[in-house]
Amino acid sequence: MAYVDGFVIPVPEEKLEAYKKMSRECGAVWKEFGALEFRETVADDAPPGKLTSFPQSVMLEEGERVVFSWIVYESRAKRDEINDKVMKDPRVAAYMDPANMPFDAKRMIYGGFEMMIDL
């Protein structure tokens, strides 16, 4: 069954274009190595909640937008294989340096998920 890596990221509005550039370049590498889908979305209807919410999850600050992203793989084994190749690829290496990231990576939420239902 498919496997998904998911991400919730606070991105400063003035860095959204830089984030898109990074995402397009890195997404092409993930797809080249076998990812089935590479998706990036930006919140336009994700209000703060009373207890939990997307904005609260990343401690969203004034002037930032929530980005919700996911990558779909054939399986966990394929995900591990693909991510190993991606992390060694020189086209992605520069973006892995926190100084070059167009967002605060310390507030990024991420995880791997087994597909439970796929309709």
Side-chain angles (χ1 to χ4, degrees):
M1 174 113 3
Y3 196 82
V4 178
D5 278 340
F7 311 86
V8 182
I9 306 161
V11 179
E13 290 175 355
E14 73 270 5
K15 293 186 178 182
L16 273 174
E17 287 306 314
Y19 183 87
K20 286 183 201 178
K21 179 182 183 298
M22 177 193 74
S23 182
R24 282 188 194 101
E25 291 175 13
C26 293
V29 175
W30 256 278
K31 293 282 291 190
E32 179 183 320
F33 287 128
L36 302 176
E37 294 179 33
F38 186 95
R39 307 285 185 194
E40 295 275 4
T41 62
V42 62
D44 78 335
D45 185 20
K50 291 184 179 186
L51 297 176
T52 62
S53 68
F54 279 104
Q56 288 166 276
S57 71
V58 293
M59 298 181 289
L60 197 68
E61 297 175 359
E62 185 75 31
E64 292 181 331
R65 301 279 300 274
V66 173
V67 171
F68 175 51
S69 311
W70 64 95
I71 307 171
V72 180
Y73 308 90
E74 181 182 304
S75 65
R76 167 76 189 265
K78 286 298 281 183
R79 176 263 213 160
D80 292 346
E81 174 187 319
I82 291 165
N83 279 348
D84 184 55
K85 290 177 185 176
V86 168
M87 292 302 140
K88 293 176 182 171
D89 192 287
R91 295 170 291 178
V92 174
Y95 291 118
M96 295 302 118
D97 179 348
N100 296 330
M101 291 182 178
F103 61 93
D104 181 358
K106 293 183 297 277
R107 292 187 287 136
M108 175 176 68
I109 297 171
Y110 61 92
F113 301 83
E114 290 181 7
M115 188 74 70
M116 185 168 65
I117 297 173
D118 187 8
L119 300 175

